[in-house]
């Protein structure tokens, strides 16, 4: 299943919807079917500076050592890295 760029998933992957106060984690197969999920209160505000690598390691220990795709507030200034907004040419 092509994810984007050069990343292709041949088996399973973890999708993390990392919000401000909660996160939702999904284990998906190559067809996009959800195999397992969990939700907790470890949103970006609960993770200290430099703590995201440990959080991802804990998720992988629980759900399996699969490739990870993360979205949501994890791309904010409080997240792993700030994903800047793109400027587009619309009025």
């Amino acid at each position: 299943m092509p994810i984007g760029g050069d990343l292709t998933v041949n088996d399973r992957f973890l999708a993390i919807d990392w919000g401000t106060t909660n996160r939702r984690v999904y284990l998906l197969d190559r067809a996009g079917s959800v195999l397992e999920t969990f939700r907790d209160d470890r949103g970006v505000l609960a993770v200290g500076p430099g703590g995201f690598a440990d959080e991802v390691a804990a998720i992988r220990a629980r759900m399996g050592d699969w490739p990870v795709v993360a979205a949501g507030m994890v791309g904010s200034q409080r997240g792993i890295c700030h994903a800047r907004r793109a400027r587009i040419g619309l009025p």
Side-chain angles (χ1 to χ4, degrees):
M1 167 183 218
I3 298 295
D6 294 330
L7 178 62
T8 299
V9 174
N10 293 319
D11 194 5
R12 298 176 179 182
F13 69 99
L14 295 167
I16 306 172
D17 176 10
W18 218 316
T20 303
T21 57
N22 294 287
R23 69 179 172 200
R24 291 143 301 273
V25 182
Y26 306 90
L27 174 62
L28 298 129
D29 67 14
R30 66 183 300 161
S33 298
V34 177
L35 304 174
E36 186 178 344
T37 185
F38 79 88
R39 175 185 176 148
D40 63 19
D41 62 355
R42 299 292 298 161
V44 296
L45 295 181
V47 180
F52 285 95
D54 289 340
E55 293 291 328
V56 171
I59 290 169
R60 283 182 151 163
R62 177 177 177 168
M63 304 279 285
D65 190 22
W66 303 106
V68 173
V69 176
M73 294 305 290
V74 74
S76 71
Q77 291 177 345
R78 289 287 308 247
I80 292 174
C81 68
H82 186 204
R84 299 193 184 278
R85 294 188 172 102
R87 300 193 117 213
I88 57 174
L90 295 175

